[in-house]
Amino acid sequence: MRCVIARFPFDLVKSEVESKMAGIRPEEVTGACVVIGRKVFPVKQVGEVITRQDRRDFTAAEVTRALVRLGFTCHATPPQAQSPAPAPAQSESQPQPQSPLASGSTPDPFGGIGG
């Protein structure tokens, strides 16, 4: 498939992108990402590998558009691996910390000095 990334034309094939990314360790994903095989890569990292250009030269949108056209699954934000387990409910027997204002009394701003 022919596409333009950072004003340069590229002929990309899905299997070639997969083979180029096969031995690469994914960086931490904080934004747009793509699933290649069973790994989730930042799209900028993939763009840098497949185009051999500095990632400052292209946008994530350009690479995402090309990867979607090739048939890859892209996400705008990192997908959640698993939903976190719900926090255990606190029992009513445990005392809850309260501020002095919640108890109805007001603290003496002078610490008991004067009178």
Side-chain angles (χ1 to χ4, degrees):
M1 177 200 74
R2 189 133 178 117
C3 64
V4 175
I5 299 175
R7 299 178 312 275
F8 291 98
F10 292 94
D11 288 317
L12 299 176
V13 177
K14 185 174 183 175
S15 60
E16 290 177 1
V17 173
E18 290 170 335
S19 66
K20 285 183 180 182
M21 298 307 295
I24 304 218
R25 186 174 184 186
E27 296 172 358
E28 182 180 349
V29 178
T30 57
C33 58
V34 58
V35 178
I36 300 177
R38 289 195 268 170
K39 298 177 184 176
V40 179
F41 292 92
V43 294
K44 288 281 221 168
Q45 180 185 12
V46 175
E48 184 175 52
V49 171
I50 63 176
T51 65
R52 290 183 273 167
Q53 293 180 330
D54 189 287
R55 57 181 79 184
R56 294 174 290 183
D57 294 339
F58 53 84
T59 66
E62 289 176 298
V63 179
T64 300
R65 192 169 29 254
L67 292 172
V68 167
R69 286 180 56 201
L70 284 172
F72 290 103
T73 303
C74 295
H75 303 278
T77 58
Q80 298 297 325
Q82 292 180 342
S83 60
Q90 293 182 346
S91 67
E92 294 179 18
S93 63
Q94 293 178 347
Q96 298 295 321
Q98 292 187 356
S99 70
L101 296 177
S103 64
S105 64
T106 56
D108 183 8
F110 301 106
I113 302 174

